[in-house]
Amino acid sequence: MRAIRRFTVRTVLPEPLAPLSELVLNLRWSWHPETLDLFEEVDPEVWARVGHDPVALLGAVEPARLEELSRDRRFLRRLADAADDLRDYMSAPRWYQTLDDGPRAIAYFSPEYGITSALPQYSGGLGILAGDHLKAASDLGVPILAVGLLYRHGYFTQSLSPEGWQLEHYPSLDPGGLPLTQLREEDGSAARVRISLPEGRTLTAQIWVAQVGRVPLLLLDSAVADNDAAARDVTDRLYGGGTHHRLLQEMLLGIGGVRAIRTYCRITGHAEPEVFHTNEGHAGFLGLERIRELTESRMTFDEALEAVRAGTVFTTHTPVPAGIDRFPRDLVEKHFGGDNSWPTVPVDRILELGAEPAEEGDRDVFNMAVMGMRLAQRVNGVSELHGEVSREMFAGLWPGFDVHEVPIGFITNGVHAPTWVGREVMELAGRELPSVVSRGQGWDAVDRLSDSDIWEIRGRLRERLVLAARDRLRASWRARGASPTELGWIDQVLDPGVLTIGFARRVPSYKRLTLMLRDPERLRELLLDEAKPVQIVIAGKAHPADEGGKKLIQQIVKFADDPAVRHRIVFLPDYDMALGQLLVQGCDVWMNNPLRPLEACGTSGMKAALNGGLNLSIRDGWWDEWYDGNNGWAIPTADGVTDPERRDELEAAALYDLIEREVSDRFYDRDGDGPPRRWLEMVKHTLRSLGPKVLAGRMLRDYVVDLYAPAAASARALSADAFEPARAFAAWKLRVSRAWPGVRVEHVETSGLGETPQLGSSLLMEATVNLGDLSPDDVAVEAVFGRVSAQDELIDPSYSALKLESAGDDARAHYSGTVPLDRTGSFGYSVRVVPAHPLMASPAELGLITLPEEPAGMTNGTLR
Ligand SMILES: *Cc1c(COP(=O)(O)O)cnc(C)c1O
């Protein structure tokens, strides 16, 4: 019989063990091995049985054992030390505390968080990144206050049918059985946030706090008795349900999230955030809620919009259009208009914010990414290449501007080393590379590591993966209906001495799970090579609704089921953080073969690199940026080839060749029994060159310095004097936008070129601009110059401001300046007028630009 309701009864700890619950409730244990050792000591056997989940441990351990521990002086001393260490970690000044003017607090919004497999509130890269972001923020003392949703079924766990088809299970989670505490009002009642819905309904949520080191993570949970059945199910599962369900989740995350932050700050005295960072578009409604807050104290929509934009950072995470949230416009209209409209936030203005650009967009769609970009003054992609791709993808929002001027920058993702790096590696680094461990600096010292130390640790990590893979494979075959007596062969699956390639990912089509199966015969040869065998460990989940992805998994599973190869290739079900850790630590090579440029960044290869693994990847995402020819291998991409079949074929062939000729060659190149010297050279070079870049600490510093601090400065500038600058800025934007059609470049003249223009000379440029109703203070007039294409298009031009010479009464203003002829080859120039205001973060911010009607570019000058 099924239970109609479940809950978890927590143990009452004997008084001397009270610090244990403090340790369990702070998720710092998820990246602190010493604390995990202490948990293990509570009861090693139970610890293994509950899969290293400390809350489950305390629920399962016998009271007699707890009594015993409460009298064990040695254990109590260790417990006291661990608790002291945590308190010290929580309060000691860190990197952020050395900064002068950082924001008092930063709110961080994400629909999913991968902190530990014991809190399964993530599906893939976005969530893992968010988890690493919080942990690195905690380590650096960055005052982030994070918000998400608590999904009662989390993400599904995966198993396989006898035919190798993906099966999904949604275990129900009880917050009482998770490392969470409930946020309560001073009177002890549960803190609540409420959102009104159409037809007089209300969506209510309670708030759970996951303490991630120094960072509080607020998780909203709609499973409360005040809600009707439909509202209760809003946070039932991650990325499940239809469009309407998803809209409600996003309203709760964005609007409810801001309200939860206000509630948390009121109850605990935490500083109010000055910056709001939204991790992908799902939380975009947070901007509307903040506009609502401000408009209720007598600001207009436009004024509030300016104040909100200044302090908002938006990170886009995918160049795949299907990865972007788009709602039917009507649905948004219904939820923010009609009987559910906010009196001071007109629904028409909301719909405008989410409207796709007229030329390429769909009028019936409300696009969350587009709204995110309009509500944030600072926008970034997650690798250099992804920044470029995003500028192209969203260029329609800034018509008239060159693609490279689209105001979307990039900060390349990083990974949290203490979470992903094997303990042995951390310990070696602690002994030999202390400044790398404490400050992330001094990576050149990697050269001093001895080959035999590294090789010995690599061997241990590989062996751990092999043993765990056998256990998981056995469990998987049992679940597929095999009896234990048929499974003897599993003891020989994988070999701790063989070159091990890891390949794990979610399974959307662009990641090309099955590229390696393109030529099955060739793959078999690689696996079964007598002298230089290769083994492959694969994992990944397909989205429950993605039949195509499930077919790909089935193809892999069928291939790996073949008795001829099954000792060299395995598919391990239920890819989660725990399996991810085993894989990135145990594999010698991390393979990644997405369809370039659809992988925004990718982070698994970074995790592998920090563990002494090497990357074998398509030059996409981070690998395009940091591959240097010697720190791994780049699979050549057939970028220009439009036939996808042909492209896959070419890239697969290149992949096989690389593995056969370069990767395994190097791995098996040994002097007698010694470690592979040439292989380890590459490992050390990888650590030296990538180590300083791939750390999440580097990423966090970049966010603080390049985005959070400037956003806080802008927000402060606009909110000074009771928001007077925000009002003035909004009024200025309105005035400039209205008057802009009157701006014209009337005349451009150049001199100083002579007969044959020469490198190093310069060009004198004079321009006459009719400013209409604007004044010279409102605009910047700039020379635009550089290389030109055969079609006279300026390629990656430079800009230089022209100086105002005189302004007459007739709205005409005269400008002049010089343009340096600083490169040989075809050269061209033009002039442009853009709005100018000290509070703008980019010339493209208003989307206004005026160019000469007749292109003034001259292309005949070929410089020598
Ligand atoms: C690191 C990780 C991801 C993200 O991997 P990408 O390489 O960025 O796609 C997803 N899931 C798990 C379990 C991970 O550990």
Side-chain angles (χ1 to χ4, degrees), residues 122-129 132 413 415 420 504-506 510-511 575-581 584 590 592 599 601-607 622:
Y122 59 92
S123 74
L126 183 71
I128 305 284
L129 180 80
D132 280 9
N413 287 342
V415 297
W420 299 109
R505 61 220 42 263
R506 288 178 302 112
Y510 79 86
K511 298 225 182 201
Y575 181 41
D576 69 353
M577 287 182 74
L579 180 52
Q581 283 162 335
V584 297
W590 195 262
N592 192 22
E599 176 109 301
C601 180
T603 53
S604 303
M606 300 182 184
K607 303 171 192 167
W622 75 285

Side-chain angles (χ1 to χ4, degrees), residues 64-75:
R65 173 65 185 150
L66 293 174
E67 274 309 317
E68 187 185 352
L69 284 172
S70 71
R71 291 186 306 271
D72 178 341
R73 307 254 309 257
R74 207 188 54 84
F75 183 83

